[in-house]
Short mmCIF file of all heavy atoms in Angstrom, two decimals:
data_model
loop_
_atom_site.label_atom_id
_atom_site.label_comp_id
_atom_site.label_asym_id
_atom_site.label_seq_id
_atom_site.Cartn_x
_atom_site.Cartn_y
_atom_site.Cartn_z
N MET A 1393 0.90 -1.23 0.02
CA MET A 1393 0.04 0.04 0.01
C MET A 1393 0.83 1.15 0.08
O MET A 1393 1.75 1.36 0.80
CB MET A 1393 -0.87 0.00 1.21
CG MET A 1393 -1.77 1.15 1.34
SD MET A 1393 -2.72 1.40 2.90
CE MET A 1393 -2.31 -0.10 3.88
N ARG A 1394 0.69 2.05 -0.96
CA ARG A 1394 1.40 3.31 -0.94
C ARG A 1394 0.40 4.40 -1.27
O ARG A 1394 -0.08 4.47 -2.47
CB ARG A 1394 2.60 3.25 -1.95
CG ARG A 1394 3.54 4.44 -1.75
CD ARG A 1394 4.80 4.24 -2.46
NE ARG A 1394 5.71 5.24 -2.14
CZ ARG A 1394 6.90 5.25 -2.62
NH1 ARG A 1394 7.43 4.32 -3.37
NH2 ARG A 1394 7.78 6.17 -2.18
N LEU A 1395 0.10 5.29 -0.35
CA LEU A 1395 -0.84 6.33 -0.55
C LEU A 1395 -0.15 7.53 -1.15
O LEU A 1395 1.06 7.75 -0.95
CB LEU A 1395 -1.60 6.71 0.72
CG LEU A 1395 -2.22 5.61 1.46
CD1 LEU A 1395 -2.79 6.09 2.76
CD2 LEU A 1395 -3.33 5.02 0.61
N GLU A 1431 3.89 -5.50 14.90
CA GLU A 1431 3.31 -5.79 13.63
C GLU A 1431 4.20 -5.03 12.58
O GLU A 1431 4.46 -3.88 12.68
CB GLU A 1431 1.95 -5.27 13.46
CG GLU A 1431 1.30 -5.71 12.11
CD GLU A 1431 -0.05 -5.06 11.78
OE1 GLU A 1431 -0.50 -4.19 12.63
OE2 GLU A 1431 -0.70 -5.47 10.81
N ILE A 1432 4.77 -5.77 11.65
CA ILE A 1432 5.55 -5.15 10.52
C ILE A 1432 4.66 -4.95 9.27
O ILE A 1432 3.98 -5.99 8.89
CB ILE A 1432 6.68 -5.98 10.14
CG1 ILE A 1432 7.74 -6.14 11.35
CG2 ILE A 1432 7.48 -5.32 8.99
CD1 ILE A 1432 8.99 -6.96 11.02
N GLY A 1433 4.59 -3.75 8.79
CA GLY A 1433 3.64 -3.45 7.63
C GLY A 1433 2.29 -3.21 8.20
O GLY A 1433 1.25 -3.79 7.63
N MET A 1434 2.11 -2.36 9.22
CA MET A 1434 0.81 -2.26 9.91
C MET A 1434 -0.25 -1.42 9.07
O MET A 1434 -1.35 -1.34 9.44
CB MET A 1434 1.06 -1.59 11.32
CG MET A 1434 1.54 -0.20 11.10
SD MET A 1434 1.03 0.84 12.40
CE MET A 1434 1.62 2.39 11.78
N GLY A 1435 0.26 -0.89 8.00
CA GLY A 1435 -0.71 -0.08 7.15
C GLY A 1435 -1.27 1.03 8.01
O GLY A 1435 -0.51 1.83 8.73
N LYS A 1436 -2.60 1.31 8.03
CA LYS A 1436 -3.18 2.43 8.62
C LYS A 1436 -3.41 2.11 10.08
O LYS A 1436 -4.07 2.93 10.72
CB LYS A 1436 -4.43 2.82 7.93
CG LYS A 1436 -4.20 3.37 6.57
CD LYS A 1436 -5.47 3.69 5.83
CE LYS A 1436 -5.42 3.76 4.32
NZ LYS A 1436 -6.73 3.74 3.76
N GLY A 1437 -3.07 0.90 10.59
CA GLY A 1437 -3.02 0.65 11.98
C GLY A 1437 -4.21 0.12 12.73
O GLY A 1437 -4.25 -0.13 13.95
N ASP A 1438 -5.33 -0.17 12.02
CA ASP A 1438 -6.54 -0.58 12.73
C ASP A 1438 -6.30 -1.85 13.62
O ASP A 1438 -6.74 -1.83 14.75
CB ASP A 1438 -7.67 -1.12 11.61
CG ASP A 1438 -8.33 0.04 11.12
OD1 ASP A 1438 -7.92 1.23 11.38
OD2 ASP A 1438 -9.31 -0.08 10.26
N PHE A 1439 -5.49 -2.77 13.05
CA PHE A 1439 -5.26 -4.01 13.85
C PHE A 1439 -4.45 -3.83 15.23
O PHE A 1439 -4.89 -4.19 16.28
CB PHE A 1439 -4.52 -4.95 12.98
CG PHE A 1439 -4.02 -6.23 13.52
CD1 PHE A 1439 -4.82 -7.47 13.59
CD2 PHE A 1439 -2.67 -6.38 14.17
CE1 PHE A 1439 -4.34 -8.54 14.08
CE2 PHE A 1439 -2.27 -7.52 14.66
CZ PHE A 1439 -3.07 -8.62 14.69
N ILE A 1455 4.95 -1.08 12.98
CA ILE A 1455 5.97 -0.66 12.03
C ILE A 1455 5.55 -0.56 10.66
O ILE A 1455 4.83 -1.38 10.13
CB ILE A 1455 7.19 -1.63 12.09
CG1 ILE A 1455 7.81 -1.71 13.55
CG2 ILE A 1455 8.26 -1.29 11.12
CD1 ILE A 1455 8.64 -2.84 13.86
N GLU A 1456 5.84 0.56 10.04
CA GLU A 1456 5.41 0.84 8.59
C GLU A 1456 6.42 1.61 7.92
O GLU A 1456 7.03 2.56 8.49
CB GLU A 1456 4.05 1.60 8.68
CG GLU A 1456 3.58 2.15 7.42
CD GLU A 1456 3.31 1.14 6.30
OE1 GLU A 1456 2.75 0.08 6.50
OE2 GLU A 1456 3.97 1.38 5.21
N LYS A 1457 6.62 1.29 6.65
CA LYS A 1457 7.78 1.96 5.95
C LYS A 1457 7.51 3.33 5.32
O LYS A 1457 8.41 4.02 4.95
CB LYS A 1457 8.49 1.07 5.00
CG LYS A 1457 7.80 0.66 3.72
CD LYS A 1457 8.74 -0.08 2.83
CE LYS A 1457 8.05 -0.65 1.66
NZ LYS A 1457 8.90 -1.46 0.81
N PHE A 1458 6.21 3.58 5.02
CA PHE A 1458 5.78 4.85 4.31
C PHE A 1458 5.20 5.84 5.20
O PHE A 1458 4.11 5.58 5.91
CB PHE A 1458 4.91 4.53 3.15
CG PHE A 1458 5.64 3.76 2.03
CD1 PHE A 1458 5.02 2.55 1.59
CD2 PHE A 1458 6.70 4.30 1.47
CE1 PHE A 1458 5.74 1.81 0.59
CE2 PHE A 1458 7.34 3.64 0.32
CZ PHE A 1458 6.81 2.42 -0.06
N ASP A 1459 5.70 7.04 5.18
CA ASP A 1459 5.11 8.19 5.88
C ASP A 1459 3.55 8.33 5.60
O ASP A 1459 2.80 8.52 6.40
CB ASP A 1459 5.72 9.47 5.45
CG ASP A 1459 7.08 9.71 6.13
OD1 ASP A 1459 7.39 9.01 7.08
OD2 ASP A 1459 7.76 10.63 5.67
N SER A 1460 3.28 8.23 4.26
CA SER A 1460 2.05 8.52 3.81
C SER A 1460 0.96 7.53 4.31
O SER A 1460 -0.29 7.80 4.38
CB SER A 1460 1.89 8.51 2.27
OG SER A 1460 2.35 7.17 1.76
N VAL A 1461 1.43 6.37 4.81
CA VAL A 1461 0.57 5.33 5.41
C VAL A 1461 0.51 5.50 6.89
O VAL A 1461 -0.50 5.52 7.53
CB VAL A 1461 0.89 3.93 4.99
CG1 VAL A 1461 -0.04 2.93 5.41
CG2 VAL A 1461 1.14 3.85 3.49
N LEU A 1462 1.72 5.66 7.42
CA LEU A 1462 1.87 5.78 8.88
C LEU A 1462 1.05 6.90 9.50
O LEU A 1462 0.47 6.91 10.64
CB LEU A 1462 3.30 5.88 9.32
CG LEU A 1462 3.72 5.97 10.75
CD1 LEU A 1462 3.79 4.61 11.31
CD2 LEU A 1462 4.81 6.78 11.02
N ILE A 1480 6.64 3.02 14.62
CA ILE A 1480 8.00 3.31 14.12
C ILE A 1480 7.90 3.40 12.56
O ILE A 1480 7.23 2.50 11.98
CB ILE A 1480 8.96 2.19 14.51
CG1 ILE A 1480 9.13 2.07 16.05
CG2 ILE A 1480 10.32 2.57 13.74
CD1 ILE A 1480 10.13 1.04 16.40
N ARG A 1481 8.36 4.45 12.01
CA ARG A 1481 8.54 4.46 10.51
C ARG A 1481 9.81 3.90 10.15
O ARG A 1481 10.86 4.41 10.43
CB ARG A 1481 8.43 5.88 10.04
CG ARG A 1481 8.05 5.95 8.46
CD ARG A 1481 8.42 7.20 7.82
NE ARG A 1481 9.88 7.54 7.90
CZ ARG A 1481 10.81 6.90 7.18
NH1 ARG A 1481 10.46 5.91 6.40
NH2 ARG A 1481 11.99 7.29 7.44
N MET A 1482 9.79 2.76 9.55
CA MET A 1482 11.07 1.99 9.21
C MET A 1482 10.76 0.87 8.29
O MET A 1482 9.73 0.35 8.14
CB MET A 1482 11.49 1.39 10.61
CG MET A 1482 12.81 0.60 10.54
SD MET A 1482 13.34 0.07 12.14
CE MET A 1482 12.20 -1.32 12.41
N ASP A 1483 11.78 0.58 7.52
CA ASP A 1483 11.79 -0.65 6.68
C ASP A 1483 12.14 -1.97 7.49
O ASP A 1483 13.09 -1.78 8.28
CB ASP A 1483 12.76 -0.49 5.51
CG ASP A 1483 12.48 -1.38 4.41
OD1 ASP A 1483 12.47 -2.63 4.72
OD2 ASP A 1483 12.29 -1.01 3.15
N ALA A 1484 11.46 -2.94 7.26
CA ALA A 1484 11.74 -4.24 8.01
C ALA A 1484 13.26 -4.64 7.85
O ALA A 1484 13.75 -5.33 8.65
CB ALA A 1484 10.78 -5.28 7.52
N GLU A 1485 13.83 -4.23 6.80
CA GLU A 1485 15.24 -4.47 6.60
C GLU A 1485 16.09 -4.08 7.78
O GLU A 1485 17.13 -4.71 8.07
CB GLU A 1485 15.82 -3.59 5.40
CG GLU A 1485 15.49 -4.22 4.03
CD GLU A 1485 16.36 -5.40 3.70
OE1 GLU A 1485 17.40 -5.64 4.35
OE2 GLU A 1485 15.99 -6.05 2.75
N GLU A 1486 15.63 -2.99 8.49
CA GLU A 1486 16.48 -2.48 9.67
C GLU A 1486 16.04 -3.02 11.00
O GLU A 1486 16.64 -2.70 12.02
CB GLU A 1486 16.32 -1.03 9.63
CG GLU A 1486 16.82 -0.31 8.44
CD GLU A 1486 16.49 1.09 8.37
OE1 GLU A 1486 16.99 1.81 9.34
OE2 GLU A 1486 15.65 1.62 7.56
N TYR A 1499 3.56 -10.06 14.27
CA TYR A 1499 2.42 -10.12 13.45
C TYR A 1499 2.80 -9.78 11.96
O TYR A 1499 3.32 -8.69 11.87
CB TYR A 1499 1.21 -9.38 13.88
CG TYR A 1499 0.60 -9.71 15.20
CD1 TYR A 1499 0.92 -9.10 16.35
CD2 TYR A 1499 -0.33 -10.78 15.28
CE1 TYR A 1499 0.40 -9.46 17.67
CE2 TYR A 1499 -0.85 -11.24 16.48
CZ TYR A 1499 -0.54 -10.52 17.62
OH TYR A 1499 -1.07 -10.98 18.86
N LEU A 1500 2.34 -10.52 11.08
CA LEU A 1500 2.54 -10.17 9.63
C LEU A 1500 1.21 -10.35 9.01
O LEU A 1500 0.74 -11.41 8.70
CB LEU A 1500 3.59 -11.08 8.99
CG LEU A 1500 5.08 -10.99 9.44
CD1 LEU A 1500 5.92 -12.11 8.91
CD2 LEU A 1500 5.60 -9.63 9.17
N ASN A 1501 0.58 -9.22 8.69
CA ASN A 1501 -0.81 -9.20 8.21
C ASN A 1501 -0.85 -8.72 6.68
O ASN A 1501 -0.48 -7.60 6.44
CB ASN A 1501 -1.71 -8.30 9.06
CG ASN A 1501 -1.90 -8.90 10.40
OD1 ASN A 1501 -2.17 -10.15 10.60
ND2 ASN A 1501 -1.90 -8.03 11.40
N PHE A 1502 -1.27 -9.59 5.81
CA PHE A 1502 -1.45 -9.27 4.45
C PHE A 1502 -0.21 -8.53 3.82
O PHE A 1502 -0.32 -7.49 3.23
CB PHE A 1502 -2.74 -8.43 4.30
CG PHE A 1502 -3.95 -9.21 4.80
CD1 PHE A 1502 -4.31 -9.21 6.11
CD2 PHE A 1502 -4.57 -9.95 3.90
CE1 PHE A 1502 -5.33 -9.95 6.57
CE2 PHE A 1502 -5.73 -10.76 4.37
CZ PHE A 1502 -6.04 -10.82 5.68
N SER A 1503 0.92 -9.19 4.18
CA SER A 1503 2.20 -8.58 3.66
C SER A 1503 2.26 -8.62 2.15
O SER A 1503 1.59 -9.47 1.49
CB SER A 1503 3.33 -9.50 4.17
OG SER A 1503 3.29 -9.58 5.54
N ASP A 1504 2.99 -7.71 1.60
CA ASP A 1504 3.07 -7.60 0.13
C ASP A 1504 3.57 -9.07 -0.44
O ASP A 1504 4.65 -9.44 0.08
CB ASP A 1504 4.03 -6.51 -0.32
CG ASP A 1504 3.50 -5.14 0.01
OD1 ASP A 1504 2.26 -4.98 0.28
OD2 ASP A 1504 4.31 -4.13 0.18
N PRO A 1505 2.90 -9.52 -1.45
CA PRO A 1505 3.30 -10.88 -1.88
C PRO A 1505 4.50 -10.91 -2.73
O PRO A 1505 5.15 -12.07 -2.88
CB PRO A 1505 2.04 -11.42 -2.68
CG PRO A 1505 1.27 -10.11 -3.06
CD PRO A 1505 1.67 -9.06 -1.98
N TRP A 1506 4.96 -9.89 -3.41
CA TRP A 1506 6.10 -9.91 -4.20
C TRP A 1506 6.01 -11.13 -5.11
O TRP A 1506 6.80 -12.17 -5.00
CB TRP A 1506 7.39 -9.82 -3.50
CG TRP A 1506 7.67 -8.54 -2.83
CD1 TRP A 1506 7.53 -8.32 -1.45
CD2 TRP A 1506 7.96 -7.27 -3.42
NE1 TRP A 1506 7.79 -6.97 -1.16
CE2 TRP A 1506 8.04 -6.38 -2.42
CE3 TRP A 1506 8.29 -6.86 -4.77
CZ2 TRP A 1506 8.38 -5.02 -2.57
CZ3 TRP A 1506 8.56 -5.55 -4.95
CH2 TRP A 1506 8.66 -4.66 -3.87
N ARG A 1514 12.27 -10.44 -0.86
CA ARG A 1514 11.64 -9.25 -0.21
C ARG A 1514 10.35 -9.74 0.57
O ARG A 1514 9.90 -8.84 1.25
CB ARG A 1514 11.29 -8.25 -1.31
CG ARG A 1514 12.39 -7.72 -2.01
CD ARG A 1514 11.89 -6.64 -3.04
NE ARG A 1514 12.88 -6.41 -4.07
CZ ARG A 1514 12.69 -5.55 -5.04
NH1 ARG A 1514 11.54 -4.91 -5.21
NH2 ARG A 1514 13.73 -5.35 -5.86
N ARG A 1515 9.94 -10.85 0.38
CA ARG A 1515 8.71 -11.27 1.07
C ARG A 1515 9.02 -11.38 2.56
O ARG A 1515 10.12 -11.84 2.93
CB ARG A 1515 8.20 -12.63 0.56
CG ARG A 1515 7.76 -12.62 -0.85
CD ARG A 1515 7.48 -13.94 -1.41
NE ARG A 1515 7.45 -13.95 -2.87
CZ ARG A 1515 7.69 -15.04 -3.63
NH1 ARG A 1515 8.04 -16.22 -3.15
NH2 ARG A 1515 7.64 -14.94 -4.93
N LEU A 1516 8.16 -10.79 3.37
CA LEU A 1516 8.56 -10.69 4.86
C LEU A 1516 8.62 -12.05 5.59
O LEU A 1516 9.05 -12.03 6.79
CB LEU A 1516 7.59 -9.73 5.56
CG LEU A 1516 7.60 -8.31 5.05
CD1 LEU A 1516 6.60 -7.39 5.87
CD2 LEU A 1516 9.08 -7.66 5.26
N PHE A 1521 14.46 -12.84 5.67
CA PHE A 1521 13.77 -12.09 6.80
C PHE A 1521 13.69 -12.92 8.01
O PHE A 1521 13.96 -12.44 9.11
CB PHE A 1521 12.47 -11.49 6.41
CG PHE A 1521 12.62 -10.12 5.74
CD1 PHE A 1521 12.44 -9.94 4.33
CD2 PHE A 1521 13.00 -9.06 6.45
CE1 PHE A 1521 12.46 -8.77 3.68
CE2 PHE A 1521 13.12 -7.78 5.82
CZ PHE A 1521 12.92 -7.69 4.48
N TYR A 1525 14.79 -11.83 11.86
CA TYR A 1525 14.03 -11.70 13.06
C TYR A 1525 14.64 -12.48 14.25
O TYR A 1525 14.27 -12.24 15.39
CB TYR A 1525 12.62 -12.26 12.80
CG TYR A 1525 11.87 -11.73 11.64
CD1 TYR A 1525 10.99 -12.48 10.88
CD2 TYR A 1525 12.02 -10.35 11.31
CE1 TYR A 1525 10.26 -11.89 9.73
CE2 TYR A 1525 11.34 -9.85 10.26
CZ TYR A 1525 10.50 -10.57 9.37
OH TYR A 1525 9.81 -10.08 8.33
N LYS A 1538 -1.39 -13.67 8.60
CA LYS A 1538 -2.64 -13.75 7.85
C LYS A 1538 -2.39 -13.28 6.47
O LYS A 1538 -1.73 -12.28 6.24
CB LYS A 1538 -3.82 -12.94 8.52
CG LYS A 1538 -4.30 -13.43 9.77
CD LYS A 1538 -5.53 -12.73 10.29
CE LYS A 1538 -5.29 -11.43 11.01
NZ LYS A 1538 -6.54 -10.88 11.50
N ASP A 1540 -4.37 -13.25 2.15
CA ASP A 1540 -5.37 -13.74 1.27
C ASP A 1540 -4.71 -14.43 0.14
O ASP A 1540 -5.40 -14.89 -0.81
CB ASP A 1540 -6.15 -12.47 0.66
CG ASP A 1540 -5.11 -11.62 -0.15
OD1 ASP A 1540 -4.19 -11.13 0.54
OD2 ASP A 1540 -5.34 -11.34 -1.26
N GLN A 1578 -9.54 -7.68 12.85
CA GLN A 1578 -9.52 -7.54 11.49
C GLN A 1578 -8.57 -6.45 11.14
O GLN A 1578 -8.43 -5.38 11.89
CB GLN A 1578 -10.88 -7.29 10.86
CG GLN A 1578 -11.76 -8.49 10.79
CD GLN A 1578 -13.05 -8.07 9.90
OE1 GLN A 1578 -13.55 -6.97 10.07
NE2 GLN A 1578 -13.51 -8.99 9.11
N THR A 1579 -7.92 -6.54 9.98
CA THR A 1579 -7.03 -5.46 9.47
C THR A 1579 -7.86 -4.73 8.42
O THR A 1579 -8.86 -5.24 7.96
CB THR A 1579 -5.70 -6.02 8.82
OG1 THR A 1579 -6.00 -6.61 7.57
CG2 THR A 1579 -5.15 -6.99 9.76
N GLU A 1580 -7.28 -3.63 7.89
CA GLU A 1580 -8.05 -2.92 6.77
C GLU A 1580 -8.22 -3.83 5.52
O GLU A 1580 -9.25 -3.98 4.95
CB GLU A 1580 -7.25 -1.77 6.37
CG GLU A 1580 -7.20 -0.59 7.35
CD GLU A 1580 -5.87 -0.63 8.13
OE1 GLU A 1580 -4.91 -1.28 7.72
OE2 GLU A 1580 -5.82 -0.06 9.20
N TYR A 1581 -7.09 -4.55 5.20
CA TYR A 1581 -7.13 -5.44 3.94
C TYR A 1581 -8.06 -6.61 4.23
O TYR A 1581 -8.73 -6.97 3.29
CB TYR A 1581 -5.72 -5.81 3.61
CG TYR A 1581 -4.90 -4.96 2.71
CD1 TYR A 1581 -4.64 -3.65 3.14
CD2 TYR A 1581 -4.57 -5.42 1.38
CE1 TYR A 1581 -4.07 -2.82 2.26
CE2 TYR A 1581 -3.95 -4.53 0.61
CZ TYR A 1581 -3.66 -3.16 1.03
OH TYR A 1581 -2.93 -2.39 0.12
N GLU A 1582 -8.04 -7.06 5.41
CA GLU A 1582 -8.84 -8.21 5.77
C GLU A 1582 -10.40 -7.92 5.52
O GLU A 1582 -11.08 -8.70 4.93
CB GLU A 1582 -8.64 -8.64 7.22
CG GLU A 1582 -9.27 -9.94 7.57
CD GLU A 1582 -8.79 -10.36 9.01
OE1 GLU A 1582 -7.78 -9.78 9.52
OE2 GLU A 1582 -9.41 -11.24 9.61
N LYS A 1583 -10.69 -6.71 5.94
CA LYS A 1583 -12.12 -6.27 5.87
C LYS A 1583 -12.61 -6.32 4.41
O LYS A 1583 -13.59 -6.84 3.97
CB LYS A 1583 -12.37 -4.87 6.39
CG LYS A 1583 -12.44 -4.88 7.98
CD LYS A 1583 -12.43 -3.43 8.45
CE LYS A 1583 -11.97 -3.46 9.95
NZ LYS A 1583 -11.44 -2.17 10.41
N LYS A 1584 -11.73 -5.84 3.49
CA LYS A 1584 -11.97 -5.85 2.06
C LYS A 1584 -12.04 -7.23 1.55
O LYS A 1584 -13.04 -7.58 0.86
CB LYS A 1584 -10.85 -5.13 1.29
CG LYS A 1584 -11.02 -3.62 1.30
CD LYS A 1584 -10.03 -2.99 0.29
CE LYS A 1584 -9.29 -1.86 0.96
NZ LYS A 1584 -8.02 -1.52 0.25
N PHE A 1585 -11.13 -8.06 1.81
CA PHE A 1585 -11.15 -9.42 1.30
C PHE A 1585 -12.28 -10.27 1.77
O PHE A 1585 -12.88 -11.06 1.01
CB PHE A 1585 -9.72 -10.14 1.54
CG PHE A 1585 -8.68 -9.37 0.85
CD1 PHE A 1585 -7.50 -9.08 1.43
CD2 PHE A 1585 -8.72 -9.12 -0.54
CE1 PHE A 1585 -6.39 -8.55 0.88
CE2 PHE A 1585 -7.62 -8.52 -1.18
CZ PHE A 1585 -6.48 -8.23 -0.49
C1 SAM B 1227 -0.79 -4.91 1.84
S1 SAM B 1227 -0.46 -3.72 3.02
C2 SAM B 1227 -1.29 -4.47 4.37
C3 SAM B 1227 -1.52 -3.45 5.46
C4 SAM B 1227 -2.17 -3.99 6.86
N1 SAM B 1227 -1.28 -4.84 7.40
C5 SAM B 1227 -3.46 -4.62 6.57
O1 SAM B 1227 -3.50 -5.93 6.70
O2 SAM B 1227 -4.44 -3.90 6.23
C6 SAM B 1227 1.17 -4.06 3.42
C7 SAM B 1227 1.83 -2.87 4.15
O3 SAM B 1227 3.13 -3.24 4.55
C8 SAM B 1227 4.04 -2.19 4.34
N2 SAM B 1227 5.39 -2.76 4.11
C9 SAM B 1227 5.68 -3.48 3.06
N3 SAM B 1227 6.94 -3.81 3.11
C10 SAM B 1227 7.47 -3.30 4.26
C11 SAM B 1227 8.69 -3.34 4.82
N4 SAM B 1227 9.80 -4.00 4.28
N5 SAM B 1227 8.93 -2.67 6.03
C12 SAM B 1227 7.82 -2.09 6.61
N6 SAM B 1227 6.60 -2.00 6.06
C13 SAM B 1227 6.40 -2.62 4.95
C14 SAM B 1227 3.44 -1.38 3.18
O4 SAM B 1227 3.80 -0.11 3.16
C15 SAM B 1227 1.96 -1.56 3.45
O5 SAM B 1227 1.47 -0.53 4.26
#
Side-chain angles (χ1 to χ4, degrees):
M1393 180 189 347
R1394 193 166 188 177
L1395 302 177
E1431 181 187 11
I1432 300 181
M1434 63 152 185
K1436 297 180 199 164
D1438 282 4
F1439 174 87
I1455 297 166
E1456 169 56 51
K1457 74 173 170 180
F1458 291 121
D1459 280 348
S1460 58
V1461 186
L1462 182 89
I1480 300 179
R1481 198 200 59 74
M1482 180 176 75
D1483 193 308
E1485 279 286 344
E1486 299 172 62
Y1499 293 98
L1500 295 171
N1501 293 317
F1502 301 85
S1503 304
D1504 294 339
W1506 292 106
R1514 298 183 194 177
R1515 299 173 193 151
L1516 293 179
F1521 271 108
Y1525 305 147
K1538 288 191 279 187
D1540 61 304
Q1578 284 188 323
T1579 77
E1580 294 96 16
Y1581 272 64
E1582 185 171 350
K1583 282 174 201 155
K1584 275 192 230 160
F1585 293 131

